[in-house]
Amino acid sequence: MSSDDTPNQPSRPARRGFLKAGAALGASLGAGAATSGLAQAAEAKHHAMSADPMLAVEPFYGEHQGGIVTPQQAHTYVAAFDLTTISRDDVINLLRKWTESAARMSQAHPAAALDYSGDDHPAADSGDVLGLGPAGLTVTFGFGPGLFTSQDKDRYGLAHKRPAALVDLPRFNGDQLIAQKTGGDLFVQACANDAQVAFHAVRQLARQGYGILTMRWGQAGFLSGPRAQTPRNLMGFKDGTNNPPTTDPKAMNQFVWATAADAPWMQGGTYTVVRRIRITLEHWDQMELGFQEQVFGRHKYSGAPLGQKKEFDNVDLNAQDKDGNPQIPENSHVRLSNRASNNGAQILRRSYSYNDSTDFYIERWPPWRQETEYDAGLIFIAHQGDPRTGFIPINERLAKFDMMNQFTTHVGSAVFACPPGAKAGSFIGAELFSA
Ligand code: HEM
């Protein structure tokens, strides 16, 4: 057995190049008509296997990092780290290790080759996902403002390479940011079809940084929808309907991928905003269905814009009801965030729900209520070519006027420059660190 082999791993799904479950299914439907019955049966068997979300494999190396336009996996673990080292080489070596380990884990291998030569040292991998399969794991890395300058210090000689688009986010109306859930020098987003696979990836990478960095915050998230349908967030509405199409490279170039104009090393990367948005689910659940729909400007069950029938019907901000009032209310979430209200700006949202147990709440005055409330909501994640024309103006409008604000509070925030994908043999961010 080579040192790469994981004990109890029945087969090596990663090496067989399984397709994404959804893509495989689509392909089989298209190809079916032209093939013989036998071939069809074989194909169906193959696709039934590849449709197992635990066997899905996403490429790690490539022009862009995974986990950005990748169809959304069911789970995420996102984390941000503060660098404590003063050595530029430490950072480079860490990124090399991270790149290699992320590539290995996305193939269902341990983070580093397991060494069976003895039990007198810690194992290179915690071992908790041995045999589980790749589960469509993607690992996405990002650089926060603190990598470039921290407390006015140019720690790693990178200050002059900070892209203008990597702005410190302004304070928005209603922000209640908690320092321990905000910011970070380095960002790791692991997405997978299994919660343990996602957490495992971040945990191994964090461990490789012992002595070089500390973990600032970590957050698990989930989001499941029926296959090939838009998933619903905890408010019960379909979330992601009116995203720019990830299958259209033109739209992605226009809205999501950064250009070289600002910082050549970011070409093919993206800027990512993360907001931890707490939702008072107890309050929301008491609201009439019709009011909930007014808040979003969409029908709850079909997901259609108000007054329309189907989820993907056009959002027509000029549509009026029989009394001449706007069909999509003035302060609804969809009207305020739509491109027509934001100079054509669009962002790619790839958010997850979170559910972090409960808090206990006691009033010290009559009627002395004692309640347990959920700490749950949305880990809002949005990718864009430039936050100054994307998230910032859109959220400025939402923070002031969105009816949804009665139910939501932004408690965490971060912004990162996620560089382009790495070529095999190189590492994430290599262009930033090249002289
Ligand atoms: C808890 C917080 C939030 C929830 C539950 C939420 C939920 C939704 C839902 C249900 C939709 C309609 C379906 C869709 O097109 O995806 C939507 C649309 C949208 N949201 Fe949010 N959202 C939240 C926060 C935000 C924030 C902070 C921003 C950005 C600053 C944002 C930007 C957008 C955009 C751009 C659209 C598409 C609007 C359109 O063009 O029709 N959302 N959101």
Side-chain angles (χ1 to χ4, degrees):
M1 185 157 73
S2 88
S3 61
D4 256 18
D5 280 323
T6 50
N8 305 325
Q9 193 161 328
S11 59
R12 295 190 146 232
R15 300 263 164 91
R16 295 201 201 137
F18 284 100
L19 298 169
K20 270 294 302 174
L25 211 64
S28 77
L29 294 177
T35 41
S36 74
L38 202 65
Q40 271 183 39
E43 207 178 299
K45 194 172 162 215
H46 169 77
H47 288 141
M49 281 165 66
S50 57
D52 178 348
M54 293 306 288
L55 299 183
V57 179
E58 290 294 340
F60 178 78
Y61 293 106
E63 185 185 357
H64 305 294
Q65 291 198 69
I68 298 166
V69 298
T70 308
Q72 206 165 345
Q73 301 95 323
H75 294 274
T76 196
Y77 196 90
V78 279
F81 300 88
D82 285 335
L83 285 159
T84 51
T85 180
I86 50 162
S87 152
R88 178 181 166 115
D89 284 345
D90 277 354
V91 182
I92 294 174
N93 290 336
L94 179 69
L95 289 170
R96 280 188 197 282
K97 262 196 220 163
W98 275 9
T99 302
E100 202 182 304
S101 293
R104 289 177 55 90
M105 291 188 285
S106 61
Q107 300 283 312
H109 295 310
L114 293 179
D115 173 1
Y116 298 104
S117 62
D119 58 6
D120 57 352
H121 49 266
D125 185 291
S126 60
D128 58 287
V129 299
L130 288 176
L132 267 189
L137 175 72
T138 53
V139 183
T140 319
F141 297 100
F143 303 145
L147 178 67
F148 300 88
T149 31
S150 183
Q151 292 166 343
D152 292 330
K153 278 209 198 88
D154 182 3
R155 294 187 287 177
Y156 312 116
L158 296 173
H160 65 291
K161 290 206 171 171
R162 177 171 174 175
L166 184 64
V167 283
D168 295 307
L169 295 180
R171 186 184 181 281
F172 297 96
N173 203 37
D175 272 3
Q176 298 278 344
L177 303 186
I178 301 166
Q180 298 89 328
K181 295 186 187 296
T182 294
D185 299 339
L186 296 180
F187 174 59
V188 179
Q189 171 195 263
C191 300
N193 295 321
D194 181 89
Q196 196 165 334
V197 169
F199 178 58
H200 168 265
V202 174
R203 180 177 165 202
Q204 310 315 307
L205 300 178
R207 170 184 169 183
Q208 292 172 359
Y210 281 169
I212 294 174
L213 47 69
T214 56
M215 194 162 181
R216 188 170 178 86
W217 53 263
Q219 179 69 58
F222 57 91
L223 196 77
S224 289
R227 179 164 289 179
Q229 290 182 37
T230 314
R232 292 177 188 272
N233 58 39
L234 292 179
M235 293 172 111
F237 279 75
K238 295 187 179 188
D239 199 330
T241 304
N242 219 351
N243 256 334
T246 49
T247 46
D248 175 0
K250 220 172 117 219
M252 293 302 97
N253 284 336
Q254 189 180 352
F255 297 115
V256 176
W257 303 126
T259 60
D262 183 23
W265 64 270
M266 270 297 284
Q267 166 123 41
T270 190
Y271 294 90
T272 300
V273 172
V274 183
R275 307 278 287 182
R276 186 180 192 271
I277 307 178
R278 188 164 173 167
I279 305 175
T280 51
L281 296 178
E282 299 84 352
H283 184 194
W284 178 249
D285 290 343
Q286 298 301 322
M287 296 299 116
E288 290 171 9
L289 175 63
F291 175 72
Q292 290 193 349
E293 295 186 326
Q294 297 276 310
V295 166
F296 279 107
R298 282 186 177 271
H299 291 292
K300 189 166 188 175
Y301 300 126
S302 64
L306 286 185
Q308 311 254 48
K309 289 272 174 300
K310 294 204 278 305
E311 179 187 358
F312 293 100
D313 284 348
N314 189 34
V315 174
D316 176 4
L317 298 182
N318 298 320
Q320 296 185 338
D321 65 14
K322 57 180 180 356
D323 303 319
N325 295 316
Q327 278 280 15
I328 301 185
E330 295 291 351
N331 291 345
S332 63
H333 185 68
V334 155
R335 175 181 289 273
L336 295 167
S337 58
N338 187 263
R339 74 199 82 156
S341 310
N342 292 286
N343 294 321
Q346 288 193 61
I347 54 182
L348 178 65
R349 292 164 292 127
R350 203 173 178 283
S351 308
Y352 285 89
S353 294
Y354 77 86
N355 174 15
D356 284 359
S357 186
T358 50
D359 291 341
F360 190 53
Y361 168 84
I362 309 176
E363 269 178 9
R364 300 283 174 197
W365 52 89
W368 293 286
R369 278 183 308 158
Q370 299 194 4
E371 281 177 15
T372 299
E373 52 187 19
Y374 302 112
D375 180 1
L378 193 75
I379 317 163
F380 175 87
I381 301 175
H383 307 292
Q384 61 243 276
D386 190 336
R388 294 170 298 178
T389 49
F391 175 80
I392 294 175
I394 300 174
N395 197 48
E396 249 155 16
R397 180 166 286 103
L398 289 175
K400 285 189 190 132
F401 304 117
D402 194 351
M403 276 197 275
M404 197 178 66
N405 296 340
Q406 302 166 64
F407 308 96
T408 56
T409 313
H410 292 225
V411 292
S413 175
V415 59
F416 302 102
C418 296
K423 293 182 195 70
S426 183
F427 64 98
I428 294 285
E431 298 85 352
L432 169 63
F433 287 91
S434 65

